[in-house]
Amino acid sequence: MGEEQGEFLDLFALSVFRQRLAVADQQRRQLAELILDLEKNDKRSRGEEEAWLGDVSGSEFLFSHEAFADLFAAIGVSVRSYVAGLGLDTEQLAFWFQRSWATISHEGERIFEHAHLQSHLSFAYYLQKPTEGGGIYFSVATHPNEFAAGLFTLAKESLGILKTPGPRTLNRIYVEPVEDEILVFPSRTLHSTAPNLTDQPRISISGDIVVTLKDSAGHETLMPPVQRWMAF
Ligand SMILES: [Fe+2]
């Protein structure tokens, strides 16, 4: 009996979108200065290794700043490309920047694992990213292939049970973005960053997006258009 070799069908992949936005160097430097000024004027203290986060420092609506208008236009195009690339009809959807803020990671600083549970899509744009400035990890709380609790952990890796770790067994996957690149992903995705190993700050613009229907007639799910809501 000659058995044929088996093969994997990898189902339900998480799709993170990456794209260079081609923002001019000079414009990026100017925006970086504005952000470093925001940090300078922030008197809030923060823990060791903890990056500066604009959203909790009163600067969570960067898209309202005139200086960022071009950047957010480019981000908007990128986010629509992501959604269209997934196979959705962006013409039927309305996109809203809900919050957007800067993060600054100085040498040794990083951002601990979290998700953005109040929105639909999130992005990180790398305004200033030294080569060794620290990339981003995406994680899953429950990997679809982890058939026994605790199987896909570092402990099992060092004990040799997890012999060849790879995308089919990793709970956490590292992505190395480059300067001027945006990453777009579902907001509920857990993520964290690696520490900045350089003395140049890593500056990212993060943001959350809400996606609604333009017309909710006939739809049971998805948010109806914001214009039809009523405040009370
Ligand atoms: Fe985040």
Side-chain angles (χ1 to χ4, degrees):
M1 201 158 51
E3 254 181 40
E4 276 184 38
Q5 204 174 356
E7 62 176 338
F8 278 107
L9 303 173
D10 291 309
L11 313 177
F12 307 118
L14 170 71
S15 303
V16 173
F17 185 67
R18 74 193 306 177
Q19 185 177 29
R20 289 291 283 269
L21 293 191
V23 178
D25 286 0
Q26 194 198 346
Q27 196 182 2
R28 272 192 287 106
R29 273 198 298 273
Q30 184 198 344
L31 297 179
E33 286 304 316
L34 288 174
I35 288 161
L36 289 166
D37 273 349
L38 289 175
E39 184 201 22
K40 220 177 285 171
N41 295 325
D42 179 20
K43 302 289 174 254
R44 210 178 55 95
S45 64
R46 57 187 205 258
E48 214 181 317
E49 291 183 28
E50 208 180 306
W52 181 79
L53 305 172
D55 57 334
V56 289
S57 304
S59 307
E60 75 272 41
F61 300 111
L62 273 190
F63 45 78
S64 303
H65 290 232
E66 186 56 38
F68 289 85
D70 289 350
L71 177 62
F72 279 93
I75 291 172
V77 171
S78 192
V79 170
R80 282 172 181 275
S81 298
Y82 168 69
V83 175
L86 290 177
L88 299 169
D89 180 7
T90 54
E91 289 303 311
Q92 296 188 49
L93 300 169
F95 295 82
W96 298 82
F97 287 120
Q98 180 202 62
R99 304 190 306 157
S100 184
W101 64 99
T103 78
I104 305 174
S105 303
H106 295 279
E107 189 169 10
E109 293 178 347
R110 62 200 173 110
I111 299 170
F112 296 91
E113 191 172 272
H114 65 284
H116 304 196
L117 297 178
Q118 85 301 333
S119 57
H120 297 142
L121 295 173
S122 295
F123 63 85
Y125 170 70
Y126 291 83
L127 189 66
Q128 188 170 298
K129 168 67 172 64
T131 310
E132 297 291 315
I136 183 165
Y137 291 102
F138 291 98
S139 337
V140 281
T142 39
H143 195 297
N145 297 342
E146 194 170 19
F147 56 83
L151 185 60
F152 296 171
T153 54
L154 282 175
K156 294 294 177 282
E157 203 177 313
S158 46
L159 288 168
I161 293 177
L162 193 46
K163 213 163 72 174
T164 43
R168 290 181 184 131
T169 58
L170 286 169
N171 275 321
R172 200 174 79 147
I173 294 180
Y174 183 72
V175 174
E176 183 71 72
V178 295
E179 193 161 276
D180 186 47
E181 192 171 50
I182 189 171
L183 298 180
V184 186
F185 50 94
S187 296
R188 64 181 180 188
T189 314
L190 286 166
H191 55 284
S192 55
T193 75
N196 180 356
L197 302 178
T198 76
D199 56 7
Q200 288 298 304
R202 178 185 73 228
I203 304 178
S204 74
I205 310 285
S206 294
D208 293 332
I209 290 158
V210 165
V211 182
T212 77
L213 290 162
K214 281 185 183 167
D215 178 1
S216 55
H219 288 271
E220 193 177 26
T221 54
L222 297 188
M223 283 194 188
V226 177
Q227 296 83 352
R228 301 292 302 269
W229 298 11
M230 187 173 81
F232 67 95

